[in-house]
Structures are given as C-alpha cells and as structure tokens.
Amino acid sequence: MKSCKEKAAEWGISSRSVNDMCKKGKVAGAVKENGTWRIPDDAAKPADKRISTGKYVKKSGGKGLKALPIGISDYVRAQSEYYYVDKTLLIKEFLDQKPLVSLFTRPRRFGKTLNMDMLRVFFEISDEDTSKYFKNQAIWQCGEEYRSHQGKYPVIFLTFKDVKFDTWQETIDKIRGLLQEEFGRHQELLNSDKLSEYDKENFLKILNGTANEVELTSALERLSKMLAVHYGKAPIIIIDEYDTPIQEGYSKDFYDEIIGFMRNFFSGAFKDNRNLSYGFLTGILRIAQESIFSGLNNLTVNSVMDEAYDSFFGFTGNEVKAMLEYYGMSAKEKELKEWYDGYLFGNEEIYNPWSVINYISKDGIPQAYWVNTGKNEILEDVLEIATDDITERLYALLQGEPVIARIDQNVVYRSIAEDPANIYSLLLVAGYLKTPRKDLQADGSYLCEVSIPNREIAAVYKNEILSHLLQIGAITRTTANKIAESLYANDYKKLQAAISEYMDKSISFYDGGAGGFYHGLMLGLIALMDNQYKIKSNRESGDGRYDISLIPRENRYPGIILELKWKNGLSADSLDTFADEALTQIDNMRYDSEMKQEGINDILKFGIAFSGKKVRVKTK
C-alpha cells in the first residue's frame, strides 16, 4: 500500500488531488487508516475529466513536457515535478572521498542549495521511505555500498541565503528564527527518554525564541549532541550559503559582529565536535583569513579552481545539449553557448544553470538573466577603487582580451580596499571571470590568465560601468539616452551631437591631465555603444595609429573615428585650432582606411582637443 504523496509522485499530480479522488471513491481499493488514505500499489490513476494544470507546455505545442525548475531548490519537488538534471553522483564522489567537513565555493545561482537539499533528503532519517526519490537517479545504480547510507543519519540543515538585512540586530533575529525552525524539525527529542531535562530545557529556549546570543552560538553543537544521543548516530550538519550574512555585514557595517558570531557558531559545530558524522558548507568565498574556521584542520575546500566535484554545480555541455533536445531547441545551442557557457570549474566547462533555464523558458531570448538574481557589490567596489591599471585591464577584458592576474582564494570582501589587486580573485570566485590558464604557485596562490566568461557577464560589466558613470556624474542620463536613441533611429546628426556632448562631459569630469581619464572614457563608450560597435584603440590604419575607432557591427550604422590631442595651458583660440588639427590628422593619416576596406563608407570623424578641464570637439 502507498500513501497519497507516493501515488501523487507516480501519477504526476498533487497529493491534494489524490486525496480528493480517494474521498470521492474514484481510487479502487483505497482505504483510510489512522486518518490517512492508503492506496494499493497497482491502483491505476482514475480519469478525473479535468484539464491538468501546472504543466509546462511549449508555445510550439509540445504537450507533456516537464516544467523548468526556475527558483526551485527543493530536491523532492525538483526531481518529481520538474526537469531535473541528475547531480546525485555528487553523493558517490563524497562517499568515496569521505572528507569530514567539506566547503563548496561557487557563484550564486549555480545549484548549491538544491544540491545541499539533495544531500539532506538522501542521508536523513525519516518516517517516510525517501529512497523512492533516488531510485530513478544515477546514484541508485552505483551499488549497495552507496544505497546503504540512504536514510541512515539525523541531519541538521540551515540555509543562510535569505539572511540579508541592514543591521546586526535584524540579522541575529533572522538567524534565531532559522535555528528555531530547524529545532522544530527535531521535536522528537523533547519526548526522548535518552536526554536529560537540562538538554530539553536548552532545546526549548531555542524552540521558543528566548535564547540569547551566546546560547545561539552553541546551538549547533548542542543539537548535534542531542541527536547523536537519541539516534545512536552522529548527525550530518549542512550549512548552505554560510557567507551571505558575512557579505551583508561587510556592506552594511556590522562586519565585526557577524564574524565574531560565526567564528564561535562554526567552531562548536565543526571543530573537535565528536557528535558529527559529516559536515557540508556552501558559499561564494572561503573567508579563511577571518579565522572563522580557525583550527579546523579537517576542512576540505572545493573551489572553482579544484578538479574535485567540478561537474556537480552548474550544467555541463552534455547536460545542456540533452535539455535543448528535450525542449526542441537544439538549433539554439550556438547562441546559448555564446551567452551562458564559458565558466571553468576545475577542468570542466560549465554553463550558468540559472540563465540556461530562463533562456529556454523564454523560448530562446538571450538576456542577462543572472544579473537580476542578486546585487553586484563586488563590481561596484571594483569601480569605486579602480586604479589606472585596473581600469586599463577592465577595458582589455571588455574587449575580449585576457589579462594576467594573481589569484588568492583566501581573500575576503574587505581586502579590496587593502589591496586593489585582490579584485581579480573576488571576481573569479563570484562568477565574473574564468581562468583559461592557471599555474599553482609555491605559496598556494595561482598565476592565471583571466577573461570574461561569456556575453551575459560582459553585459553585466557594461551595465555596472554605465550605472557607476551615471552615479559619479561622469555622464548624464540625458546624454546616455541621446546616444541610445540616435543609434536606434539611425540618426547621424543626433549621434554626432550626442557623442560631442559625451566627450565634453566626460573629459571635463575626468580631467585630461589625469592618467586614468583615457581608459575611463573608453569604458564609458563600451558601456554606451558596444552592442552596435566594436571599439578599438591605438591600432594601425592608413599611415599611422588612430586613437579610438568604433567599427559598426551592422551596415546601417556609420563608422566613427576619434582623434584626441592634449596640451597644458591652452587658450580658447589655441584649443579650437588644436581640435581642427586633430580632425585634419584623421584625413591626412588616412585613419579611415581600415573601415573602407571593410566596405564602410559612412564615417563620422571627431577631432577632440583638451587642456585641463577645457575641451573642444570638432566633427566632420
């Protein structure tokens, strides 16, 4: 006999629908026992003469296709109701290695929470037979030595992914609530004759929400001890997105408070805890320098640089290919690859799973889906502290060029201000860079060739750069809109006026005498016009090297050449003459040769002269 929930999974409908069918006598042989319906194993699904809802049906008419798991981090639901990419061999790899405490660091929205919930369902002792959620998955075919671990451990599970508050008080209140909820999942301990009244009193403090901050720091240690005594088996502790509240503390000025709390919280759970079978943590950063895991010499870190577990977070090429075939979108493979592939975890090429799922759900419309799933504080911080060297490298990255950088996986958020060179390490682990080449150094760091993974992340950079330029006043929204509108309408005169306005505003802001102004100017152009133009600088054409060239991606746009000249202490008249000289130089040196060879004959030319914050723009 099976429960309504089991039959619901078998028939592909909700438990409520099965319960309703039993009530109405539509399920042959169904009987009610202790208030719940029991259904014969071989009972057939009755025809309920209603249209089934909640199914994903492609607009092209493909009926019966499974829904796409947008935002689904519940394993049971994901594998039964949605298209599920089988990652259960993560369990096999873990059981083969048997590390005591494992930390998985990956960018946001790469399946960390879903994988941790999968581990919880697999290992956790339950009144329900949860093996049915794995019998159709790869792990079940691996043999009895792996199946024997299924449903055999008490599990403590916390996810900090939603601990995002402006103050320390709000943050600790949320953590108190999460602990209260998790203790509530283990209320069987209150009736245990193996536990002391003292233990139960401490348990009730957490359950009632009356525990103070000190008592909260030891909550995991106490709960693991009680579970071990009650079940005769040490529990597994899973902490998902452990560094989310730490990132919030960094950006909201309660960093010291959250670091102090987490150090004691994790120490009790994972350091010298004899009541621990295994521990799992996920996050974006290691945060080792803050001594959160001080003395935890049994911690195994699995980062984007490591080969272990490299295929279990995000989608592999074969997994994406199978998904596209299932939804009848194989023709979109090339476009999807350009937009969402390119990550390198260990030796595995990985697609962004969140973006792939959203792309397919939108019938193949390429957009920067990932950018809307969280804040990009790291990029914001990079732009705020960008040195001339960093700005120059950002420009190179946006042009599709690799740059060389030292990657230290132990960096923390606040290390950006201490050493701006750390930004490349943070950008890598957060998902904004990939490492086509890497060489391990004697000190444990890597010397890497880094680049932007794909078109989606390039779009994120451009969006953040434009937002930054607008925020600091290097460009106005009006000017940005003028450029966008003139490009859309293919209005040469308006485009010419808009670029002149942009040059005037940005050069005046950056000050031509400042070393970083040139690359700041280029970053702005890329953010504003890169969809329509390939932007080059200091390249040979004709009889010399032009300063800036904007080569149109489509024939309907004009080519653009900008020649810049600078000299201190010029008068207004001299500046005007200087701009004319720059404009004449474009023709005399035949800087338009490169474009003409590509069949581009409509070319806008700009001669730009500046002296300090004064600027003149001449056009042709």
Side-chain angles (χ1 to χ4, degrees):
M1 301 290 277
K2 293 184 176 178
S3 67
C4 287
K5 189 172 183 180
E6 290 169 321
K7 274 298 182 182
E10 180 184 318
W11 290 344
I13 58 178
S14 69
S15 298
R16 184 179 293 178
S17 296
V18 176
N19 191 63
D20 188 58
M21 289 174 180
C22 291
K23 279 185 187 177
K24 294 177 179 176
K26 293 183 178 181
V27 182
V31 294
K32 204 166 192 178
E33 296 178 1
N34 299 322
T36 59
W37 288 99
R38 306 295 294 169
I39 303 168
D41 291 346
D42 58 354
K45 177 185 175 182
D48 64 355
K49 300 179 181 180
R50 293 179 298 158
I51 297 173
S52 178
T53 60
K55 299 287 184 185
Y56 175 80
V57 180
K58 292 279 294 172
K59 292 177 183 176
S60 58
K63 293 184 179 180
L65 296 179
K66 287 189 174 181
L68 285 155
I70 298 174
I72 303 298
S73 54
D74 177 328
Y75 170 75
V76 170
R77 190 176 177 191
Q79 58 81 42
S80 61
E81 299 178 30
Y82 296 87
Y83 185 101
Y84 176 66
V85 176
D86 188 350
K87 297 291 185 180
T88 57
L89 289 181
L90 168 64
I91 299 165
K92 178 184 183 299
E93 188 153 338
F94 162 72
L95 288 173
D96 287 342
Q97 302 298 324
K98 286 189 169 55
L100 182 61
V101 183
S102 301
L103 168 60
F104 301 100
T105 60
R106 293 295 188 276
R108 68 173 187 261
R109 295 292 185 180
F110 270 75
K112 298 189 293 294
T113 303
L114 178 58
N115 276 347
M116 292 303 101
D117 195 55
M118 173 191 73
L119 294 176
R120 179 191 65 78
V121 177
F122 183 85
F123 287 113
E124 189 165 38
I125 294 169
S126 175
D127 293 336
E128 179 186 10
D129 178 10
T130 52
S131 67
K132 62 179 178 287
Y133 301 125
F134 296 92
K135 288 181 177 177
N136 293 327
Q137 310 300 342
I139 185 61
W140 216 250
Q141 316 311 316
C142 294
E144 179 58 28
E145 63 178 305
Y146 301 102
R147 294 196 292 266
S148 65
H149 289 272
Q150 201 280 315
K152 296 297 191 293
Y153 300 81
V155 174
I156 300 170
F157 183 94
L158 291 173
T159 179
F160 289 154
K161 66 185 179 70
D162 295 321
V163 185
K164 301 175 182 178
F165 296 93
D166 293 335
T167 67
W168 168 238
Q169 190 56 55
E170 290 173 308
T171 300
I172 193 63
D173 286 345
K174 177 64 175 179
I175 293 172
R176 181 181 285 107
L178 291 173
L179 286 166
Q180 188 177 19
E181 188 176 338
E182 182 58 18
F183 272 60
R185 284 202 322 119
H186 299 287
Q187 290 191 62
E188 71 276 9
L189 296 179
L190 290 173
N191 299 318
S192 175
D193 55 8
K194 298 177 182 178
L195 296 177
S196 68
E197 288 304 312
Y198 171 75
D199 283 330
K200 292 178 183 179
E201 285 173 11
N202 278 302
F203 187 98
L204 282 170
K205 280 188 178 181
I206 303 291
L207 194 62
N208 296 332
T210 59
N212 60 39
E213 195 172 310
V214 173
E215 289 166 331
L216 292 179
T217 61
S218 61
L220 293 182
E221 184 180 14
R222 288 182 179 278
L223 182 57
S224 61
K225 179 185 174 184
M226 287 186 275
L227 287 168
V229 170
H230 178 72
Y231 286 102
K233 184 92 170 180
I236 289 171
I237 300 178
I238 301 174
I239 309 292
D240 180 50
E241 303 284 9
Y242 84 97
D243 60 339
T244 296
I246 296 171
Q247 181 178 346
E248 291 299 310
Y250 166 71
S251 60
K252 305 290 173 54
D253 296 325
F254 56 88
Y255 195 70
D256 291 338
E257 289 91 339
I258 187 65
I259 288 293
F261 176 84
M262 289 299 194
R263 184 180 296 119
N264 293 319
F265 189 64
F266 291 136
S267 178
F270 300 115
K271 181 183 176 183
D272 300 327
N273 185 359
R274 284 177 282 182
N275 300 300
L276 177 71
S277 286
Y278 301 107
F280 298 96
L281 301 101
T282 73
I284 294 175
L285 298 185
R286 291 170 67 162
I287 318 192
Q289 286 181 356
E290 300 297 353
S291 301
I292 288 179
F293 306 122
S294 176
L296 190 61
N297 53 15
N298 53 11
L299 176 68
T300 302
V301 181
N302 305 281
S303 75
V304 297
M305 306 294 280
D306 299 313
E307 294 177 27
Y309 307 98
D310 57 5
S311 64
F312 296 117
F313 297 86
F315 294 158
T316 65
N318 288 336
E319 289 166 345
V320 168
K321 192 179 184 72
M323 190 182 298
L324 288 172
E325 286 176 1
Y326 179 81
Y327 289 104
M329 295 176 66
S330 294
K332 291 281 193 176
E333 185 174 356
K334 183 173 181 291
E335 181 179 68
L336 187 145
K337 183 178 179 66
E338 289 174 354
W339 272 83
Y340 309 117
D341 187 19
Y343 296 92
L344 286 169
F345 295 169
N347 291 326
E348 190 76 40
E349 192 167 327
I350 294 292
Y351 286 73
N352 183 320
W354 174 264
S355 299
V356 168
I357 290 169
N358 277 274
Y359 174 85
I360 294 173
S361 75
K362 299 289 186 185
D363 289 325
I365 298 174
Q367 292 180 34
Y369 296 106
W370 186 70
V371 70
N372 296 318
T373 65
K375 293 175 285 186
N376 299 299
E377 285 109 336
I378 294 174
L379 272 179
E380 291 175 15
D381 290 338
V382 168
L383 292 167
E384 284 179 10
I385 56 90
T387 60
D388 291 354
D389 176 65
I390 288 170
T391 306
E392 185 175 347
R393 290 190 185 200
L394 277 177
Y395 166 67
L397 288 168
L398 283 166
Q399 292 296 93
E401 300 170 11
V403 302
I404 304 301
R406 179 179 171 274
I407 301 298
D408 179 2
Q409 297 188 85
N410 291 321
V411 296
V412 296
Y413 288 104
R414 66 180 179 187
S415 68
I416 296 180
E418 297 164 3
D419 183 0
N422 284 326
I423 62 138
Y424 303 105
S425 302
L426 289 169
L427 289 171
L428 175 67
V429 298
Y432 297 99
L433 291 174
K434 66 175 179 179
T435 53
R437 285 177 50 209
K438 59 177 184 274
D439 291 305
L440 183 62
Q441 305 298 293
D443 63 356
S445 66
Y446 288 84
L447 195 61
C448 297
E449 181 183 274
V450 297
S451 56
I452 292 175
N454 51 45
R455 289 183 65 182
E456 176 179 42
I457 299 304
V460 174
Y461 276 88
K462 292 166 198 170
N463 182 64
E464 288 300 318
I465 287 166
L466 181 55
S467 297
H468 177 71
L469 294 176
L470 290 167
Q471 184 178 345
I472 65 175
I475 185 175
T476 65
R477 173 55 68 184
T478 302
T479 303
N481 288 344
K482 276 185 184 177
I483 290 176
E485 289 162 6
S486 59
L487 288 167
Y488 182 78
N490 198 23
D491 186 332
Y492 286 31
K493 288 186 178 179
K494 191 172 184 178
L495 178 60
Q496 192 166 310
I499 291 177
S500 296
E501 189 175 304
Y502 166 70
M503 298 301 294
D504 182 75
K505 180 71 179 174
S506 57
I507 290 176
S508 297
F509 178 86
Y510 279 114
D511 183 355
F517 110 92
Y518 181 74
H519 289 288
L521 194 69
M522 296 295 292
L523 285 176
L525 282 172
I526 291 171
L528 288 163
M529 305 175 72
D530 188 60
N531 288 336
Q532 294 83 14
Y533 288 91
K534 290 178 285 185
I535 301 172
K536 298 181 179 181
S537 68
N538 198 29
R539 305 287 178 91
E540 288 187 2
S541 180
D543 300 320
R545 286 179 174 271
Y546 55 71
D547 281 327
I548 302 172
S549 173
L550 287 81
I551 301 172
R553 298 182 187 274
E554 298 177 30
N555 291 333
R556 65 194 186 97
Y557 298 119
I560 301 170
I561 298 173
L562 299 91
E563 183 64 21
L564 285 67
K565 287 186 175 293
W566 171 81
K567 189 180 288 185
N568 264 329
L570 292 181
S571 65
D573 288 342
S574 298
L575 195 62
D576 204 60
T577 302
F578 212 24
D580 283 327
E581 288 177 15
L583 191 58
T584 301
Q585 184 175 323
I586 294 173
D587 288 332
N588 291 345
M589 302 299 288
R590 300 187 302 112
Y591 290 155
D592 56 2
S593 298
E594 181 184 15
M595 289 193 197
K596 286 182 175 178
Q597 286 172 6
E598 294 187 23
I600 302 163
N601 294 309
D602 294 324
I603 301 172
L604 298 178
K605 301 169 184 177
F606 291 80
I608 302 153
F610 44 92
S611 180
K613 289 185 176 291
K614 294 181 292 185
V615 63
R616 290 290 185 277
V617 181
K618 295 294 185 76
T619 64
K620 190 176 185 180

